[in-house]
Amino acid sequence: EADIYQTPRYLVIGTGKKITLECSQTMGHDKMYWYQQDPGMELHLIHYSYGVNSTEKGDLSSESTVSRIRTEHFPLTLESARPSHTSQYLCASSPSGQQFFGPGTRLTVL
Amino acid sequence: QKEVEQNSGPLSVPEGAIASLNCTYSDRGSQSFFWYRQYSGKSPELIMFIYSNGDKEDGRFTAQLNKASQYVSLLIRDSQPSDSAIYLCAVTEGGGSNYKLTFGKGTLLTVNP
């Protein structure tokens, strides 16, 4: 089982602010993912990485960006938050196929 | 468009009964199949995975895979109220080095005491 951490757990912020959601894992997994999930709705993949300096956009168009400078760290950044970004953001890591999720960050943009 | 279909439910079963959750997928190249449990307000938790045709048992959970029919199921024996959650079926996209998962929308299971 992966140990995967996300901070902050909850964030309420005003429109136009730049935010970074942190995700770290201690298992040395090469693969990491960011999902967006609205309450009661399905998971949508927004970014993924199969290793250091490798990032790809997911299936859901997103205005966020990611970086993967270290294996254990996969932060997601929104340059200018908008109310439409209000959602739950879930980070996951994987050694191969199965993915292990962090606790999530619930973001509210006013 | 790769799809994973699940009955949204709710599926309601009495405590102690067997709950049967079903999932079909469209990508014949998929090789790995996963079941996640998600409690309200929490993140998904991996409970079972299966790669080969047939059954795989782990405690009260049994995953069943039929690649010819593109069908995967999860059986929960002796269901408990604590099993009440949304169950997500996830399937790898294609084969080879593709490690992305396609998730179904989930089935809400309610176990009544």
Side-chain angles (χ1 to χ4, degrees), chain B residues 49-85:
Chain B
F49 59 88
I50 186 167
Y51 303 139
S52 305
N53 275 332
D55 295 359
K56 179 182 179 182
E57 186 174 319
D58 184 2
R60 296 187 295 113
F61 299 99
T62 299
Q64 299 174 318
L65 175 62
N66 184 324
K67 288 187 177 180
S69 300
Q70 295 175 242
Y71 176 91
V72 59
S73 66
L74 178 70
L75 301 178
I76 306 175
R77 291 182 299 281
D78 188 23
S79 296
Q80 301 296 310
S82 59
D83 294 327
S84 298

Side-chain angles (χ1 to χ4, degrees), chain A residues 9-10 88 103 106, chain B residues 38-43:
Chain A
R9 293 291 310 280
Y10 303 91
Q88 166 107 327
R106 189 169 298 279
Chain B
Q38 187 172 25
Y39 292 114
S40 180
K42 302 294 186 182
S43 59

Side-chain angles (χ1 to χ4, degrees), chain A residues 17-59:
Chain A
K17 300 293 186 182
K18 178 180 178 179
I19 59 172
T20 296
L21 307 184
E22 301 288 348
C23 176
S24 295
Q25 49 96 5
T26 60
M27 299 302 290
H29 292 167
D30 287 333
K31 303 164 192 61
M32 297 188 75
Y33 308 81
W34 276 103
Y35 291 88
Q36 187 174 341
Q37 186 181 36
D38 293 324
M41 304 298 286
E42 61 197 293
L43 288 158
H44 292 286
L45 180 67
I46 50 176
H47 296 283
Y48 63 100
S49 168
Y50 287 170
V52 171
N53 295 324
S54 165
T55 63
E56 300 287 345
K57 288 186 179 295
D59 304 322

Side-chain angles (χ1 to χ4, degrees), chain B residues 4 6-7 16-17 21 26 32 35 39 46 59 62-65 68 72 78-79 84 89 92-94 98 101:
Chain B
V4 176
Q6 295 182 254
N7 189 323
L21 303 159
S26 63
S32 304
W35 283 99
Y39 292 114
L46 179 67
T62 299
Q64 299 174 318
L65 175 62
V72 59
D78 188 23
S79 296
S84 298
C89 173
T92 52
E93 293 186 3
N98 190 338
L101 294 180

Side-chain angles (χ1 to χ4, degrees), chain B residues 28-39:
Chain B
R28 284 196 171 275
S30 297
Q31 297 183 358
S32 304
F33 308 85
F34 306 89
W35 283 99
Y36 287 83
R37 177 176 62 200
Q38 187 172 25
Y39 292 114

